[in-house]
Structure formats: C-alpha cells, structure tokens
Amino acid sequence: MLDALSLDQLRTFIAAAEEGSFSAAGRRLRRAQSVVSHTLANLELQVGFALFERTGRYPVLTEQGRALLEGARAAVGSMDAFKARARTLAEGLEPELAVAVDVMFPIATLTAAVQAFQRQFPSTPLRLHVEALGAVVQPLLAGQCRIAIIGSLPDVPADCVSQYLLDVGAVTVVAPQHPLALVKGVVLREVAGQHVQLVLTDRSVLTQGRNFGVLSDKTWRLADLGAKHAFLRAGLGWGHMPLHMVEGDLRDGTLVRIALETSPTVGPGFSMHAIHRKDQPPGPAGRWFVERLKDSRPA
C-alpha cells in the first residue's frame, strides 16, 4: 500500500502538523476540513499507524508522526525542486529578466554586471527594481521578479533559496558641523540617542514594526538613500551608510566617521545574497547574471 502514497497526502500531512489543526490546514490548502481529515485517514491506513493523536481539542503528532515529518518535507521539497528545474528547462531563455536589487548593493558592481549582461544577452531586456529592506523581497514574493538581491533585510523568506554574493562595508557618519562629530572616542548610545537619526525605510509592509540599526528615539525616516545621503551632508542627523557611497565624502571631509558604542543590532556591514523562490528558479540568463555579480567581488 505504500507504493500508492501521493505528494498530495504528504503536503496535507505537513500542513496539518505545521498548522496544528485540520481546519487550519484546510484553510492553508484551500480545502474543506473534511477533505483534510479524509486524506490523513487514508495516509494513516497506508502507513499502518496513526500520525496524530486526536483525543484532545487539537491533533498532536504521535511519535511515529514526528519521525516521518522531516522525511515528508524532504520528499515534497525534492519533488518541488525537480518540477521547478524541469519548468525552467522547458521555458528556455527568459524573454525578460526582472531583478529587485537592494539599494545598498555597490552601484559600480551592479553597473558592470548589467553592461556584461547586455553584451551576453542583447535580446533579453533587463528590468531592475532598486529598493530597500522588505521592498526588495516583495516583488519576488508577488511573482513580479525572478531574482532579488537582498542585504539590508537580514531575513531570507521561507520557500526561497539563498546564494551568497559579497559583503558591503558600512560606516556611521555625520557632517563635520554636527555635535556628534566633536565627540572624542566612542559615542555612547545614550548620547547618539539624543540626536536625530536618519533611517532608511521601505515601501512595503514586510518590515512593519521592525527596526534595523535604530538607536535613537528621534528618527527621520527616508525611503530614498540619495535623500538620506544629502540630509547627512547637510548636518540634519547621523546615520549608517554603505562605505562605497560615502568614501568620497570621507576623503573630502564633507562627512566624518563616528565610532558608535558596540551594539548587537548594528553590524559592520551587509551580507548580500541572491534569492529566488523555490518554485520559480531563474533561467539561463538569470543564473548567468547572478554568477556575474559574484565574479565582481573584490579580490
């Protein structure tokens, strides 16, 4: 009877285990609870033992059910990857490549990759969305992009595959006339918190209620990195910036670097990754573009 096991049964089993109830699993799978219950009963009949305890208000995995759960996930994931790969091969070269790119990604590296892409795939239009934080991921999850280059958002969404590209250094800067520029040595967090911090925000709801590297209660939130750069130079606040974008300012003295007290929420930079949905991997042009971005890493 085990030869008759289906992926549909395994998906239902996984949904019920992860959601904690058959009704919630039904909502996730867009099926009636009775269909979920019937599917799981047939699965239990085929494997020869109960997967769930049904004595309480909510079903609970049995010991045997827990033992099979990871195997079910692996089987479903393997088949999803197989189907996605087959779909990509059947599609051939993408008629268009849409990529969402984190605004923190080095523009010189991106430009070089785009120039090389244009030479390699002259008939494939490239559409770029340059965003920050969750707004980089949103078009990927919505199916509007095939690849997202993330960095300022540290989380890789579920059902996405991640590939490391490069690291981007970051510094905390102010204008030379700003009061924090006069502080000798390390700037304590409570001191920095007394001044306006310029914070990059996004145009999505994926990071709503979350802060990354925010130390001050006095914040001005900007959706454009160029505007943040200009406001920093004007002395309107302090903030974190990618090093490659302010190297000229640091040389010219239009911005100065300050050393903040070490904080668990503020790191030395950003780790850039290319991600794609497991069910929609990039085609030949997309894979080539990601590899070109990796090849642009500094030696």
Side-chain angles (χ1 to χ4, degrees), residues 9-298:
Q9 289 174 314
L10 296 183
R11 292 185 199 279
T12 305
F13 171 46
I14 294 168
E18 292 180 346
E19 296 296 333
S21 76
F22 294 168
S23 58
R27 289 191 294 271
R28 172 170 156 178
L29 299 172
R30 297 183 180 180
R31 297 177 182 175
Q33 179 179 342
S34 58
V35 175
V36 171
S37 298
H38 180 71
T39 301
L40 292 174
N42 283 340
L43 177 59
E44 290 174 322
L45 182 64
Q46 288 173 267
V47 298
F49 47 78
L51 298 172
F52 292 92
E53 297 270 5
R54 295 173 172 80
T55 54
R57 181 177 179 183
Y58 296 106
V60 178
L61 281 171
T62 63
E63 183 177 348
Q64 295 96 325
R66 287 193 299 271
L68 286 182
L69 182 58
E70 285 307 313
R73 286 176 174 145
V76 170
S78 178
M79 180 53 69
D80 287 343
F82 176 86
K83 291 192 294 185
R85 179 66 173 149
R87 188 183 307 116
T88 300
L89 292 173
E91 289 175 355
L93 185 65
E94 304 96 315
E96 176 187 76
L97 180 62
V99 182
V101 182
D102 196 296
V103 71
M104 298 295 182
F105 195 89
I107 188 62
T109 301
L110 177 62
T111 302
V114 170
Q115 289 174 326
F117 181 88
Q118 187 178 46
R119 292 191 296 268
Q120 185 72 18
F121 301 98
S123 300
T124 304
L126 182 64
R127 180 160 48 91
L128 294 178
H129 303 256
V130 180
E131 295 285 355
L133 298 166
V136 185
V137 176
Q138 186 166 275
L140 178 75
L141 299 181
Q144 299 165 351
C145 289
R146 205 64 174 263
I147 301 168
I149 310 300
I150 66 171
S152 57
L153 179 69
D155 305 327
V156 176
D159 299 325
C160 286
V161 176
S162 173
Q163 184 176 356
Y164 170 77
L165 297 177
L166 52 84
D167 286 332
V168 176
V171 291
T172 306
V173 294
V174 294
Q177 70 271 24
H178 192 280
L180 290 181
L182 305 177
V183 177
K184 302 298 183 183
V186 175
V187 177
L188 299 179
R189 282 193 280 172
E190 56 263 32
V191 174
Q194 297 170 10
H195 300 272
V196 171
Q197 181 179 359
L198 301 178
V199 178
L200 192 65
T201 186
D202 68 33
R203 287 178 273 263
S204 79
V205 297
L206 296 181
T207 57
Q208 190 170 16
R210 300 180 64 188
N211 289 315
F212 302 93
V214 178
L215 304 182
S216 176
D217 292 331
K218 302 176 181 179
T219 59
W220 288 9
R221 296 182 178 272
L222 306 165
D224 180 76
L225 189 60
K228 180 180 178 180
H229 188 192
F231 281 23
L232 285 166
R233 294 179 56 164
L236 295 174
W238 64 272
H240 312 297
M241 289 290 288
L243 178 59
H244 64 85
M245 193 168 182
V246 296
E247 283 180 312
D249 297 286
L250 295 175
R251 284 194 303 267
D252 299 340
T254 51
L255 288 173
V256 296
R257 185 172 183 168
I258 60 174
L260 279 180
E261 176 188 2
T262 302
S263 166
T265 60
V266 180
F270 307 95
S271 179
M272 293 289 169
H273 290 76
I275 65 172
H276 65 263
R277 287 171 45 176
K278 291 179 181 178
D279 62 341
Q280 291 187 354
R287 294 194 300 272
W288 187 95
F289 187 66
V290 169
E291 290 301 315
R292 185 64 180 79
L293 291 175
K294 288 173 60 179
D295 289 342
S296 299
R297 285 180 292 187

